[in-house]
Structures are given as structure tokens and as C-alpha cells.
Amino acid sequence: LRAGAPASALLRPEAVRAHPGGLPARVAERVYLGELVAVRLTLASGHELWSRRLASEWSGRDVVAVGWDASAISILPDAPLES
């Protein structure tokens, strides 16, 4: 990846967790999967991401602080758009 080149960050949903002092996020959707819950989160920037954790790890609140370990992020070069 060349410095300044367009890129995207890949973050697996199991890496995103409630984290005191983290980024504020609004819970847009909850999908219960037995003992797991998938939570669609909207950040203040408008970006959306998913978290998939044990249901007991998420509160019923609509606004939460979220975070992840930096090592969980993969940076991928953006593919050129084809016409």
C-alpha cells in the first residue's frame, strides 16, 4: 500500500465491543442469535459497523461507547472502480 493511496479498514464484528471511554455509537439494530447478539452500530461520523458478542456483554442501552484492539484492524487498498 502506497502512502496516501485510498484504502479501507477491515474490522471483524467479534472484535468490536463495549468499551468505556471509547467511541460513542448509537445502536441501530439488535439481532439475537441464541447466546450471541449481533449489534449494528452507527458512529457519530455516520459510519456503521457490526459487533457480534455474547448477549450478556451488551446492555439494553441505545447509546454505547465502543472500541477494539488496534491489532484487530486490517488495512486493504481500495480496488479501482470499473466502468
Side-chain angles (χ1 to χ4, degrees), residues 41-65:
L41 301 157
T42 304
L43 301 177
S45 65
H47 290 93
E48 289 188 342
L49 50 99
W50 282 90
S51 174
R52 189 173 58 234
R53 309 290 293 186
L54 291 172
S56 62
E57 294 180 40
W58 280 104
S59 71
R61 293 178 295 155
D62 290 333
V63 177
V64 295

Side-chain angles (χ1 to χ4, degrees), residues 4-79:
S8 295
L10 173 70
L11 184 61
R12 303 258 329 148
E14 57 272 12
V16 179
R17 64 185 184 282
H19 182 72
L23 295 172
R26 183 179 54 80
V27 175
E29 181 178 2
R30 287 180 186 87
V31 180
Y32 292 93
L33 308 165
E35 66 183 19
L36 299 176
V37 63
V39 181
R40 183 167 52 99
L41 301 157
T42 304
L43 301 177
S45 65
H47 290 93
E48 289 188 342
L49 50 99
W50 282 90
S51 174
R52 189 173 58 234
R53 309 290 293 186
L54 291 172
S56 62
E57 294 180 40
W58 280 104
S59 71
R61 293 178 295 155
D62 290 333
V63 177
V64 295
V66 298
W68 50 85
D69 292 330
S71 63
I73 299 172
S74 298
I75 304 297
L76 306 171
D78 281 348

